[in-house]
PDB file of all heavy atoms in Angstrom:
ATOM      1  N   ARG A 997      -6.432  -7.494 -10.075  1.00  0.00           N
ATOM      2  CA  ARG A 997      -7.232  -6.463 -10.759  1.00  0.00           C
ATOM      3  C   ARG A 997      -6.422  -5.598 -11.682  1.00  0.00           C
ATOM      4  O   ARG A 997      -5.346  -5.029 -11.220  1.00  0.00           O
ATOM      5  CB  ARG A 997      -7.898  -5.565  -9.709  1.00  0.00           C
ATOM      6  CG  ARG A 997      -9.004  -6.138  -8.913  1.00  0.00           C
ATOM      7  CD  ARG A 997     -10.194  -6.624  -9.641  1.00  0.00           C
ATOM      8  NE  ARG A 997     -11.161  -7.386  -8.876  1.00  0.00           N
ATOM      9  CZ  ARG A 997     -11.088  -8.556  -8.580  1.00  0.00           C
ATOM     10  NH1 ARG A 997     -10.109  -9.425  -9.051  1.00  0.00           N
ATOM     11  NH2 ARG A 997     -11.962  -9.185  -7.728  1.00  0.00           N
ATOM     12  N   ASP A 999      -4.549  -2.695 -13.513  1.00  0.00           N
ATOM     13  CA  ASP A 999      -4.151  -1.329 -12.916  1.00  0.00           C
ATOM     14  C   ASP A 999      -4.746  -0.347 -14.218  1.00  0.00           C
ATOM     15  O   ASP A 999      -4.248  -0.401 -15.267  1.00  0.00           O
ATOM     16  CB  ASP A 999      -2.713  -1.409 -12.855  1.00  0.00           C
ATOM     17  CG  ASP A 999      -2.259   0.110 -12.449  1.00  0.00           C
ATOM     18  OD1 ASP A 999      -2.589   1.118 -13.004  1.00  0.00           O
ATOM     19  OD2 ASP A 999      -1.568   0.147 -11.418  1.00  0.00           O
ATOM     20  N   GLN A1029     -25.000  12.840  -9.760  1.00  0.00           N
ATOM     21  CA  GLN A1029     -23.823  11.965  -9.488  1.00  0.00           C
ATOM     22  C   GLN A1029     -24.321  10.402  -9.522  1.00  0.00           C
ATOM     23  O   GLN A1029     -23.593   9.637 -10.153  1.00  0.00           O
ATOM     24  CB  GLN A1029     -23.196  12.301  -8.077  1.00  0.00           C
ATOM     25  CG  GLN A1029     -22.387  13.569  -8.135  1.00  0.00           C
ATOM     26  CD  GLN A1029     -21.788  13.780  -6.728  1.00  0.00           C
ATOM     27  OE1 GLN A1029     -21.999  12.932  -5.771  1.00  0.00           O
ATOM     28  NE2 GLN A1029     -21.070  14.925  -6.564  1.00  0.00           N
ATOM     29  N   ASP A1061      -7.167  20.760 -19.157  1.00  0.00           N
ATOM     30  CA  ASP A1061      -6.122  20.194 -18.301  1.00  0.00           C
ATOM     31  C   ASP A1061      -6.566  19.032 -17.397  1.00  0.00           C
ATOM     32  O   ASP A1061      -5.974  17.931 -17.348  1.00  0.00           O
ATOM     33  CB  ASP A1061      -5.715  21.297 -17.179  1.00  0.00           C
ATOM     34  CG  ASP A1061      -4.664  22.326 -17.931  1.00  0.00           C
ATOM     35  OD1 ASP A1061      -4.513  22.058 -19.257  1.00  0.00           O
ATOM     36  OD2 ASP A1061      -4.405  23.296 -17.260  1.00  0.00           O
ATOM     37  N   ARG A1067      -6.597  11.846 -17.933  1.00  0.00           N
ATOM     38  CA  ARG A1067      -6.945  10.895 -18.992  1.00  0.00           C
ATOM     39  C   ARG A1067      -8.469  10.460 -18.946  1.00  0.00           C
ATOM     40  O   ARG A1067      -8.749   9.444 -19.050  1.00  0.00           O
ATOM     41  CB  ARG A1067      -6.054   9.586 -18.904  1.00  0.00           C
ATOM     42  CG  ARG A1067      -4.743   9.713 -19.207  1.00  0.00           C
ATOM     43  CD  ARG A1067      -4.016   8.582 -19.304  1.00  0.00           C
ATOM     44  NE  ARG A1067      -2.531   8.750 -19.764  1.00  0.00           N
ATOM     45  CZ  ARG A1067      -2.226   8.462 -21.083  1.00  0.00           C
ATOM     46  NH1 ARG A1067      -3.076   7.839 -21.899  1.00  0.00           N
ATOM     47  NH2 ARG A1067      -1.046   8.709 -21.465  1.00  0.00           N
ATOM     48  N   ARG A1212     -46.452  32.777   5.749  1.00  0.00           N
ATOM     49  CA  ARG A1212     -46.558  32.523   7.055  1.00  0.00           C
ATOM     50  C   ARG A1212     -46.323  33.898   7.883  1.00  0.00           C
ATOM     51  O   ARG A1212     -47.183  34.199   8.748  1.00  0.00           O
ATOM     52  CB  ARG A1212     -45.522  31.633   7.383  1.00  0.00           C
ATOM     53  CG  ARG A1212     -45.764  30.597   8.514  1.00  0.00           C
ATOM     54  CD  ARG A1212     -46.799  29.640   8.226  1.00  0.00           C
ATOM     55  NE  ARG A1212     -46.286  28.472   7.594  1.00  0.00           N
ATOM     56  CZ  ARG A1212     -46.961  27.412   7.278  1.00  0.00           C
ATOM     57  NH1 ARG A1212     -48.259  27.348   7.681  1.00  0.00           N
ATOM     58  NH2 ARG A1212     -46.596  26.398   6.705  1.00  0.00           N
ATOM     59  N   TRP A1237     -44.687  22.008   5.112  1.00  0.00           N
ATOM     60  CA  TRP A1237     -46.172  22.074   5.345  1.00  0.00           C
ATOM     61  C   TRP A1237     -46.786  23.307   5.009  1.00  0.00           C
ATOM     62  O   TRP A1237     -46.348  24.362   5.432  1.00  0.00           O
ATOM     63  CB  TRP A1237     -46.399  21.839   6.898  1.00  0.00           C
ATOM     64  CG  TRP A1237     -47.758  21.707   7.233  1.00  0.00           C
ATOM     65  CD1 TRP A1237     -48.722  22.633   7.311  1.00  0.00           C
ATOM     66  CD2 TRP A1237     -48.591  20.401   7.183  1.00  0.00           C
ATOM     67  NE1 TRP A1237     -50.111  22.172   7.436  1.00  0.00           N
ATOM     68  CE2 TRP A1237     -49.855  20.804   7.360  1.00  0.00           C
ATOM     69  CE3 TRP A1237     -48.220  19.038   7.151  1.00  0.00           C
ATOM     70  CZ2 TRP A1237     -50.937  19.835   7.492  1.00  0.00           C
ATOM     71  CZ3 TRP A1237     -49.183  18.157   7.212  1.00  0.00           C
ATOM     72  CH2 TRP A1237     -50.594  18.432   7.445  1.00  0.00           C
TER      73      TRP A1237
ATOM     74  N   ASP B 882       0.971  13.925 -17.051  1.00  0.00           N
ATOM     75  CA  ASP B 882      -0.045  12.870 -17.093  1.00  0.00           C
ATOM     76  C   ASP B 882      -0.045  12.040 -15.809  1.00  0.00           C
ATOM     77  O   ASP B 882       1.071  11.382 -15.401  1.00  0.00           O
ATOM     78  CB  ASP B 882       0.338  11.917 -18.265  1.00  0.00           C
ATOM     79  CG  ASP B 882      -0.642  10.784 -18.362  1.00  0.00           C
ATOM     80  OD1 ASP B 882      -0.953   9.990 -17.452  1.00  0.00           O
ATOM     81  OD2 ASP B 882      -1.127  10.679 -19.497  1.00  0.00           O
ATOM     82  N   GLN B 912     -18.051  16.155   0.516  1.00  0.00           N
ATOM     83  CA  GLN B 912     -17.379  16.210  -0.774  1.00  0.00           C
ATOM     84  C   GLN B 912     -16.588  17.528  -1.051  1.00  0.00           C
ATOM     85  O   GLN B 912     -15.357  17.595  -1.344  1.00  0.00           O
ATOM     86  CB  GLN B 912     -18.309  16.010  -2.000  1.00  0.00           C
ATOM     87  CG  GLN B 912     -18.786  14.555  -2.155  1.00  0.00           C
ATOM     88  CD  GLN B 912     -19.592  14.473  -3.331  1.00  0.00           C
ATOM     89  OE1 GLN B 912     -19.910  15.474  -4.017  1.00  0.00           O
ATOM     90  NE2 GLN B 912     -20.148  13.274  -3.769  1.00  0.00           N
ATOM     91  N   ASP B 944      -9.882  -3.515  -3.980  1.00  0.00           N
ATOM     92  CA  ASP B 944      -9.983  -3.336  -5.499  1.00  0.00           C
ATOM     93  C   ASP B 944      -9.956  -1.914  -5.955  1.00  0.00           C
ATOM     94  O   ASP B 944      -9.200  -1.603  -6.757  1.00  0.00           O
ATOM     95  CB  ASP B 944     -11.152  -4.079  -6.113  1.00  0.00           C
ATOM     96  CG  ASP B 944     -10.919  -5.633  -5.885  1.00  0.00           C
ATOM     97  OD1 ASP B 944      -9.872  -5.995  -5.536  1.00  0.00           O
ATOM     98  OD2 ASP B 944     -11.800  -6.521  -6.351  1.00  0.00           O
ATOM     99  N   ARG B 950      -5.337   3.062  -8.017  1.00  0.00           N
ATOM    100  CA  ARG B 950      -3.951   3.552  -7.345  1.00  0.00           C
ATOM    101  C   ARG B 950      -4.231   4.794  -6.443  1.00  0.00           C
ATOM    102  O   ARG B 950      -3.703   5.812  -6.528  1.00  0.00           O
ATOM    103  CB  ARG B 950      -3.013   4.070  -8.438  1.00  0.00           C
ATOM    104  CG  ARG B 950      -2.521   3.018  -9.238  1.00  0.00           C
ATOM    105  CD  ARG B 950      -1.313   3.400 -10.185  1.00  0.00           C
ATOM    106  NE  ARG B 950      -0.694   2.220 -10.762  1.00  0.00           N
ATOM    107  CZ  ARG B 950       0.533   1.901 -10.315  1.00  0.00           C
ATOM    108  NH1 ARG B 950       1.100   2.529  -9.418  1.00  0.00           N
ATOM    109  NH2 ARG B 950       0.963   0.849 -10.907  1.00  0.00           N
ATOM    110  N   ARG B1095     -48.450  19.767  12.778  1.00  0.00           N
ATOM    111  CA  ARG B1095     -49.307  20.558  11.920  1.00  0.00           C
ATOM    112  C   ARG B1095     -50.631  19.601  11.718  1.00  0.00           C
ATOM    113  O   ARG B1095     -51.813  20.181  11.823  1.00  0.00           O
ATOM    114  CB  ARG B1095     -48.579  20.679  10.604  1.00  0.00           C
ATOM    115  CG  ARG B1095     -49.008  21.855   9.852  1.00  0.00           C
ATOM    116  CD  ARG B1095     -48.578  23.098  10.379  1.00  0.00           C
ATOM    117  NE  ARG B1095     -47.161  23.429  10.054  1.00  0.00           N
ATOM    118  CZ  ARG B1095     -46.580  24.556  10.282  1.00  0.00           C
ATOM    119  NH1 ARG B1095     -47.230  25.471  11.026  1.00  0.00           N
ATOM    120  NH2 ARG B1095     -45.330  24.834   9.999  1.00  0.00           N
ATOM    121  N   TRP B1120     -40.986  26.249   8.309  1.00  0.00           N
ATOM    122  CA  TRP B1120     -41.711  27.306   9.239  1.00  0.00           C
ATOM    123  C   TRP B1120     -42.308  26.489  10.360  1.00  0.00           C
ATOM    124  O   TRP B1120     -43.134  25.716  10.125  1.00  0.00           O
ATOM    125  CB  TRP B1120     -42.744  28.131   8.381  1.00  0.00           C
ATOM    126  CG  TRP B1120     -43.357  29.136   9.241  1.00  0.00           C
ATOM    127  CD1 TRP B1120     -44.321  29.088  10.097  1.00  0.00           C
ATOM    128  CD2 TRP B1120     -42.811  30.442   9.369  1.00  0.00           C
ATOM    129  NE1 TRP B1120     -44.518  30.279  10.756  1.00  0.00           N
ATOM    130  CE2 TRP B1120     -43.672  31.133  10.327  1.00  0.00           C
ATOM    131  CE3 TRP B1120     -41.824  31.220   8.717  1.00  0.00           C
ATOM    132  CZ2 TRP B1120     -43.469  32.568  10.665  1.00  0.00           C
ATOM    133  CZ3 TRP B1120     -41.623  32.663   9.048  1.00  0.00           C
ATOM    134  CH2 TRP B1120     -42.476  33.205  10.004  1.00  0.00           C
TER     135      TRP B1120
END
Side-chain angles (χ1 to χ4, degrees):
Chain A
R997 292 294 178 277
D999 181 308
Q1029 286 182 0
D1061 287 356
R1067 291 186 167 260
R1212 211 66 83 175
W1237 187 276
Chain B
D882 180 307
Q912 286 183 359
D944 286 356
R950 290 186 169 259
R1095 208 73 80 174
W1120 186 275

